[in-house]
Amino acid sequence: MDADAVRSDVDLLAAHVAGDPEAFGELFARHRDRLWAVALRTTGDPETAADGLQDGLVAAFRRAGSFRGDAAVTTWLHRVIVNACLDRLRAAKVRRADPLPDDLDDGGRGSVVTANDGSDEHLDPAEHGIRSERREIVLAALQQLPTEQRAALVLVDMEGYPVAEVAEILDCAEGTVKSRCARGRAKLSVLLRPLLDADTADDGDTRTAPVAGNPDASPDVGSMTRRGPPADPAAGAV
């Protein structure tokens, strides 16, 4: 086996800093899918996500020498990408105050709302359509949250990162991450009430749907939108 194939993330980043022309590309390819999923879910728009991902990759490429090893390379990469996406969102908010588009997928531009997880491959077309529609509803609701709350929820609930690692990525205290997640979940429980009520009715379940303001009873955003990025998420991003 080629020795490069087993190099660690730290080794690849160090090799890039030392002048290896292939190392950074290999590092990005290794984590491309997850970086794309985070960028897309944070921005809610494929074009903005691609721009944010490209901005972040350029920044990471140029600033690799500043990596000190006090966090995992993946944590550092996610921090750079998320910050780049948030910068894009803040800039867009200043330029315009348009409402969120009704169709986040925009006719199949590669949005994660139409991507499937492994289990979707075994669904009949009708069930697959229901899942895709539900993902679209959840992600549209996410876009109505403040950017900081959205970023925390994407990383914790959808990507499964520990709170401590998300705090490093977002450069804030763990308590701040927990607070942002709690407030975001409470808002989502209101925005997603019709979906939650429909699920309860379909299941014949008499349990009460999550109540706004009660984070412990909040919707399971992660289960509603499992990660499943497009086959070539980085197209045009580097």
Side-chain angles (χ1 to χ4, degrees):
M1 180 182 294
D2 191 322
D4 287 349
V6 296
R7 288 190 292 182
S8 69
D9 290 347
V10 172
D11 290 340
L12 286 171
L13 197 61
H16 163 65
V17 174
D20 184 337
E22 307 295 333
F24 191 83
E26 184 178 342
L27 177 65
F28 170 62
R30 181 177 295 175
H31 301 292
R32 177 182 64 183
D33 287 355
R34 199 166 193 185
L35 291 172
W36 169 254
V38 168
L40 185 54
R41 286 168 167 167
T42 299
T43 62
D45 173 73
E47 292 180 3
T48 306
D51 289 339
L53 182 61
Q54 179 167 307
D55 291 348
L57 289 174
V58 170
F61 186 93
R62 292 174 175 172
R63 301 175 192 167
S66 67
F67 178 74
R68 294 292 178 262
D70 52 350
V73 172
T74 51
T75 299
W76 177 75
L77 282 173
H78 277 76
R79 179 188 301 159
V80 176
I81 298 300
V82 169
N83 284 337
C85 289
L86 292 179
D87 285 345
R88 282 275 175 176
L89 290 174
R90 294 181 186 115
K93 187 175 182 180
V94 170
R95 291 195 301 268
R96 59 177 174 78
D98 297 335
L100 181 75
D102 290 333
D103 184 4
L104 288 179
D105 186 44
D106 195 19
R109 288 185 298 167
S111 171
V112 77
V113 299
T114 60
N116 53 22
D117 57 28
S119 64
D120 282 1
E121 297 176 359
H122 306 291
L123 298 175
D124 61 51
E127 182 63 23
H128 178 77
I130 291 173
R131 283 201 180 189
S132 295
E133 181 180 6
R134 183 165 66 171
R135 291 191 189 100
E136 183 175 338
I137 291 171
V138 172
L139 293 178
L142 275 172
Q143 305 319 304
Q144 298 184 51
L145 301 181
T147 54
E148 290 78 9
Q149 291 179 18
R150 185 193 317 164
L153 275 176
V154 166
L155 291 167
V156 174
D157 286 357
M158 300 176 72
E159 293 301 313
Y161 278 105
V163 169
E165 192 166 355
V166 173
E168 291 186 54
I169 292 172
L170 299 180
D171 194 22
C172 62
E174 291 183 34
T176 301
V177 173
K178 293 177 181 178
S179 177
R180 289 176 182 175
C181 286
R183 292 198 301 270
R185 291 170 188 146
K187 291 179 181 178
L188 283 181
S189 70
V190 175
L191 294 171
L192 298 176
R193 177 62 66 93
L195 178 61
L196 294 166
D197 288 347
D199 283 350
T200 300
D202 290 343
D203 293 340
D205 194 342
T206 57
R207 291 175 297 180
T208 303
V211 178
N214 180 4
D216 293 332
S218 58
D220 182 359
V221 182
S223 67
M224 289 176 160
T225 54
R226 291 302 180 200
R227 182 166 59 91
D232 187 13
V238 180

